[in-house]
Amino acid sequence: MSSILFGANNLSVLNIVANLITAFILALVLAVVYKKTHTGLSYSQSFLFTLILGGIAITAVMMVIGNSLARAFGAFGAFSIIRFRTAIKDTKDIAYIFIVLVIGMAVGTNNYIIALALTLLAIFIIFVLTKINFGSIRKYDYILNFFFDTKANSSEAYKNFFSRYLKTSNLIHIDAQAEGHILKLTFNVRFINDSESAKFLTELSAVSGVSSVDLINAKSDIEY
Protein backbone atom coordinates (compact mmCIF):
# COMPACT_ATOMS: atom_id res chain seq x y z
CA MET A 1 0.00 0.00 0.00
CA SER A 2 2.82 2.41 0.86
CA SER A 3 4.46 1.84 -2.53
CA ILE A 4 1.20 2.84 -4.22
CA LEU A 5 0.91 6.03 -2.19
CA PHE A 6 4.55 7.12 -2.17
CA GLY A 7 6.07 5.36 -5.18
CA ALA A 8 8.93 2.89 -5.40
CA ASN A 9 11.20 5.21 -3.40
CA ASN A 10 8.97 4.57 -0.38
CA LEU A 11 9.46 8.07 1.02
CA SER A 12 7.54 8.90 4.14
CA VAL A 13 5.01 11.71 4.25
CA LEU A 14 7.23 13.52 6.75
CA ASN A 15 10.26 13.23 4.45
CA ILE A 16 8.33 14.51 1.44
CA VAL A 17 6.84 17.46 3.29
CA ALA A 18 10.16 18.31 4.96
CA ASN A 19 11.96 18.31 1.60
CA LEU A 20 9.37 20.53 -0.09
CA ILE A 21 9.26 22.98 2.82
CA THR A 22 13.07 23.11 3.01
CA ALA A 23 13.30 23.78 -0.73
CA PHE A 24 10.68 26.50 -0.43
CA ILE A 25 12.48 28.25 2.45
CA LEU A 26 15.93 28.16 0.83
CA ALA A 27 14.57 29.32 -2.55
CA LEU A 28 12.57 32.07 -0.82
CA VAL A 29 15.67 33.33 0.99
CA LEU A 30 17.61 33.40 -2.27
CA ALA A 31 14.74 35.25 -3.98
CA VAL A 32 14.70 37.89 -1.22
CA VAL A 33 18.46 38.34 -1.59
CA TYR A 34 17.97 38.74 -5.34
CA LYS A 35 15.36 41.45 -4.75
CA LYS A 36 17.52 43.32 -2.20
CA THR A 37 20.68 43.30 -4.34
CA HIS A 38 19.22 43.70 -7.82
CA THR A 39 20.46 46.62 -9.92
CA GLY A 40 19.56 47.83 -13.37
CA LEU A 41 16.25 47.96 -15.19
CA SER A 42 15.61 44.26 -15.83
CA TYR A 43 13.87 43.43 -12.54
CA SER A 44 10.93 41.07 -12.90
CA GLN A 45 8.54 39.96 -10.17
CA SER A 46 7.73 36.82 -12.15
CA PHE A 47 11.41 35.83 -11.97
CA LEU A 48 11.13 35.67 -8.16
CA PHE A 49 8.15 33.33 -8.51
CA THR A 50 10.20 31.25 -10.95
CA LEU A 51 13.08 30.91 -8.49
CA ILE A 52 10.82 29.73 -5.67
CA LEU A 53 8.62 27.40 -7.73
CA GLY A 54 11.65 26.11 -9.64
CA GLY A 55 13.40 25.07 -6.43
CA ILE A 56 10.29 23.21 -5.24
CA ALA A 57 9.76 21.56 -8.63
CA ILE A 58 13.33 20.28 -8.90
CA THR A 59 13.11 18.89 -5.36
CA ALA A 60 9.95 17.00 -6.31
CA VAL A 61 11.56 15.72 -9.52
CA MET A 62 14.59 14.41 -7.62
CA MET A 63 12.32 12.60 -5.15
CA VAL A 64 10.37 11.04 -8.03
CA ILE A 65 13.54 9.92 -9.81
CA GLY A 66 15.25 8.52 -6.72
CA ASN A 67 17.82 5.91 -7.75
CA SER A 68 15.97 4.87 -10.89
CA LEU A 69 17.90 5.37 -14.12
CA ALA A 70 14.76 4.72 -16.13
CA ARG A 71 12.87 7.50 -14.35
CA ALA A 72 15.85 9.83 -14.82
CA PHE A 73 15.71 9.30 -18.58
CA GLY A 74 11.95 9.71 -18.47
CA ALA A 75 12.25 13.03 -16.66
CA PHE A 76 14.93 14.16 -19.11
CA GLY A 77 12.68 13.32 -22.02
CA ALA A 78 9.73 15.14 -20.46
CA PHE A 79 11.73 18.32 -19.83
CA SER A 80 13.30 18.22 -23.29
CA ILE A 81 9.94 18.98 -24.92
CA ILE A 82 9.58 22.21 -22.94
CA ARG A 83 10.52 25.33 -24.89
CA PHE A 84 11.52 28.42 -22.91
CA ARG A 85 10.78 31.47 -25.02
CA THR A 86 11.40 34.17 -22.40
CA ALA A 87 14.77 35.86 -22.90
CA ILE A 88 16.89 36.38 -19.80
CA LYS A 89 18.08 40.00 -19.94
CA ASP A 90 20.47 39.92 -16.98
CA THR A 91 23.18 37.25 -17.11
CA LYS A 92 23.26 37.15 -13.28
CA ASP A 93 19.76 35.69 -13.42
CA ILE A 94 21.20 32.55 -15.02
CA ALA A 95 23.47 32.07 -12.00
CA TYR A 96 20.48 32.37 -9.67
CA ILE A 97 18.60 29.75 -11.68
CA PHE A 98 21.53 27.33 -11.51
CA ILE A 99 21.89 27.86 -7.76
CA VAL A 100 18.19 27.15 -7.20
CA LEU A 101 18.41 24.04 -9.38
CA VAL A 102 21.35 22.68 -7.38
CA ILE A 103 19.59 23.50 -4.10
CA GLY A 104 16.49 21.63 -5.31
CA MET A 105 18.59 18.65 -6.38
CA ALA A 106 20.39 18.56 -3.04
CA VAL A 107 17.21 18.80 -0.97
CA GLY A 108 15.43 16.25 -3.16
CA THR A 109 18.22 13.74 -2.47
CA ASN A 110 18.24 14.54 1.28
CA ASN A 111 21.62 16.30 1.10
CA TYR A 112 20.50 19.11 3.39
CA ILE A 113 24.01 20.16 4.42
CA ILE A 114 24.99 20.73 0.79
CA ALA A 115 21.81 22.73 0.14
CA LEU A 116 22.25 24.88 3.23
CA ALA A 117 25.98 25.41 2.66
CA LEU A 118 25.41 26.43 -0.96
CA THR A 119 22.64 28.86 0.03
CA LEU A 120 24.71 30.53 2.76
CA LEU A 121 27.84 30.73 0.60
CA ALA A 122 25.89 32.15 -2.35
CA ILE A 123 24.25 34.79 -0.14
CA PHE A 124 27.61 35.76 1.36
CA ILE A 125 29.26 36.10 -2.06
CA ILE A 126 26.32 38.07 -3.48
CA PHE A 127 26.29 40.56 -0.60
CA VAL A 128 30.09 41.02 -0.67
CA LEU A 129 30.25 41.57 -4.44
CA THR A 130 27.28 43.95 -4.27
CA LYS A 131 28.77 45.88 -1.34
CA ILE A 132 32.11 46.48 -3.08
CA ASN A 133 30.34 47.08 -6.42
CA PHE A 134 32.59 44.43 -7.95
CA GLY A 135 33.24 44.72 -11.67
CA SER A 136 31.83 48.22 -12.04
CA ILE A 137 33.71 50.51 -14.41
CA ARG A 138 32.54 53.60 -12.55
CA LYS A 139 35.31 55.61 -10.89
CA TYR A 140 32.92 58.26 -9.59
CA ASP A 141 29.76 58.08 -7.49
CA TYR A 142 27.59 60.81 -9.05
CA ILE A 143 27.06 62.84 -12.20
CA LEU A 144 26.51 66.55 -11.50
CA ASN A 145 24.79 68.83 -14.03
CA PHE A 146 24.09 72.55 -13.75
CA PHE A 147 23.92 75.76 -15.79
CA PHE A 148 26.40 78.54 -15.07
CA ASP A 149 26.15 82.18 -16.20
CA THR A 150 29.71 83.43 -16.74
CA LYS A 151 28.50 87.06 -16.76
CA ALA A 152 26.94 86.75 -13.31
CA ASN A 153 29.90 85.18 -11.53
CA SER A 154 33.31 83.56 -11.91
CA SER A 155 33.98 79.83 -11.88
CA GLU A 156 35.71 80.19 -8.50
CA ALA A 157 32.25 80.66 -6.96
CA TYR A 158 31.22 77.04 -7.48
CA LYS A 159 34.75 75.62 -7.24
CA ASN A 160 34.86 76.75 -3.61
CA PHE A 161 31.92 74.42 -2.89
CA PHE A 162 33.62 71.63 -4.81
CA SER A 163 36.72 71.80 -2.61
CA ARG A 164 34.57 71.88 0.54
CA TYR A 165 32.25 68.94 -0.23
CA LEU A 166 33.85 66.85 -2.98
CA LYS A 167 36.68 64.37 -2.73
CA THR A 168 37.16 64.31 -6.51
CA SER A 169 35.57 66.02 -9.50
CA ASN A 170 36.12 65.69 -13.22
CA LEU A 171 34.60 67.90 -15.92
CA ILE A 172 33.30 65.62 -18.67
CA HIS A 173 31.15 67.93 -20.81
CA ILE A 174 30.55 71.60 -21.57
CA ASP A 175 27.66 72.89 -23.65
CA ALA A 176 27.81 76.61 -24.48
CA GLN A 177 24.50 78.43 -24.91
CA ALA A 178 23.23 82.03 -25.27
CA GLU A 179 26.24 83.17 -27.31
CA GLY A 180 28.64 81.40 -25.01
CA HIS A 181 28.00 83.06 -21.68
CA ILE A 182 25.63 80.33 -20.42
CA LEU A 183 27.43 77.03 -19.88
CA LYS A 184 25.86 73.67 -19.16
CA LEU A 185 28.49 71.84 -17.13
CA THR A 186 28.61 68.10 -16.45
CA PHE A 187 30.96 66.65 -13.82
CA ASN A 188 31.79 63.24 -12.47
CA VAL A 189 32.01 63.73 -8.71
CA ARG A 190 32.61 61.85 -5.46
CA PHE A 191 31.60 63.29 -2.09
CA ILE A 192 33.77 63.41 0.99
CA ASN A 193 30.62 62.51 2.92
CA ASP A 194 27.60 61.21 0.97
CA SER A 195 25.23 62.37 3.70
CA GLU A 196 26.03 66.00 2.83
CA SER A 197 24.95 65.67 -0.81
CA ALA A 198 21.59 67.39 -0.16
CA LYS A 199 23.29 70.25 1.65
CA PHE A 200 25.75 70.59 -1.20
CA LEU A 201 22.94 70.85 -3.77
CA THR A 202 21.10 73.46 -1.72
CA GLU A 203 24.16 75.68 -1.27
CA LEU A 204 25.33 75.27 -4.87
CA SER A 205 21.88 76.22 -6.17
CA ALA A 206 22.06 79.43 -4.10
CA VAL A 207 25.30 80.54 -5.78
CA SER A 208 24.85 83.52 -8.09
CA GLY A 209 24.94 82.39 -11.72
CA VAL A 210 24.22 78.73 -10.95
CA SER A 211 20.86 77.20 -11.93
CA SER A 212 19.13 73.88 -12.69
CA VAL A 213 21.40 71.81 -10.47
CA ASP A 214 20.90 68.06 -10.93
CA LEU A 215 22.68 65.12 -9.26
CA ILE A 216 22.46 61.60 -10.70
CA ASN A 217 23.59 58.49 -8.84
CA ALA A 218 26.19 56.68 -10.95
CA LYS A 219 27.43 54.06 -8.46
CA SER A 220 26.06 51.20 -10.55
CA ASP A 221 26.38 50.59 -14.24
CA ILE A 222 23.02 51.00 -15.93
CA GLU A 223 21.71 47.71 -17.33
CA TYR A 224 18.77 47.32 -19.68
Side-chain angles (χ1 to χ4, degrees):
M1 180 66 179
S2 62
S3 63
I4 296 176
L5 293 176
F6 308 118
N9 294 331
N10 201 27
L11 296 171
S12 68
V13 174
L14 182 61
N15 192 193
I16 294 172
V17 173
N19 285 352
L20 294 176
I21 292 177
T22 302
F24 167 74
I25 293 174
L26 295 181
L28 177 63
V29 171
L30 194 65
V32 172
V33 171
Y34 173 86
K35 180 180 178 182
K36 296 293 184 181
T37 60
H38 186 274
T39 57
L41 304 176
S42 60
Y43 177 80
S44 171
Q45 182 184 16
S46 63
F47 183 73
L48 296 186
F49 282 84
T50 301
L51 288 179
I52 297 172
L53 295 177
I56 297 173
I58 293 299
T59 296
V61 168
M62 295 306 298
M63 288 191 291
V64 169
I65 291 174
N67 296 321
S68 172
L69 185 61
R71 274 177 282 175
F73 277 109
F76 177 78
F79 283 115
S80 67
I81 66 176
I82 299 176
R83 296 291 184 267
F84 297 97
R85 301 183 183 276
T86 302
I88 297 178
K89 298 179 180 180
D90 192 336
T91 53
K92 293 193 297 294
D93 293 354
I94 299 176
Y96 278 92
I97 292 175
F98 274 116
I99 293 172
V100 166
L101 291 179
V102 176
I103 290 174
M105 292 172 66
V107 174
T109 54
N110 298 323
N111 291 299
Y112 303 117
I113 300 299
I114 295 176
L116 181 60
L118 173 60
T119 304
L120 295 177
L121 180 60
I123 291 173
F124 174 76
I125 293 174
I126 292 167
F127 273 117
V128 169
L129 296 183
T130 303
K131 180 67 175 179
I132 65 176
N133 203 23
F134 179 79
S136 176
I137 61 174
R138 303 289 184 185
K139 296 180 180 179
Y140 298 87
D141 293 340
Y142 298 91
I143 297 175
L144 175 67
N145 295 302
F146 62 89
F147 288 90
F148 181 69
D149 187 347
T150 57
K151 291 185 177 181
N153 214 332
S154 68
S155 60
E156 295 300 321
Y158 65 79
K159 288 182 179 178
N160 290 333
F161 288 95
F162 280 23
S163 60
R164 187 189 310 171
Y165 290 98
L166 302 181
K167 182 185 299 183
T168 54
S169 62
N170 179 42
L171 180 63
I172 59 176
H173 183 70
I174 299 178
D175 182 19
Q177 302 177 9
E179 298 181 351
H181 71 86
I182 300 294
L183 303 178
K184 182 181 180 182
L185 305 176
T186 302
F187 291 85
N188 275 327
V189 300
R190 175 173 292 170
F191 285 93
I192 298 174
N193 185 350
D194 277 356
S195 63
E196 294 187 334
S197 60
K199 183 179 179 182
F200 167 79
L201 291 179
T202 300
E203 294 189 7
L204 181 61
S205 299
V207 174
S208 176
V210 174
S211 62
S212 302
V213 181
D214 185 29
L215 188 67
I216 302 173
N217 192 324
K219 290 184 178 180
S220 300
D221 299 321
I222 298 175
E223 300 168 357
Y224 295 92

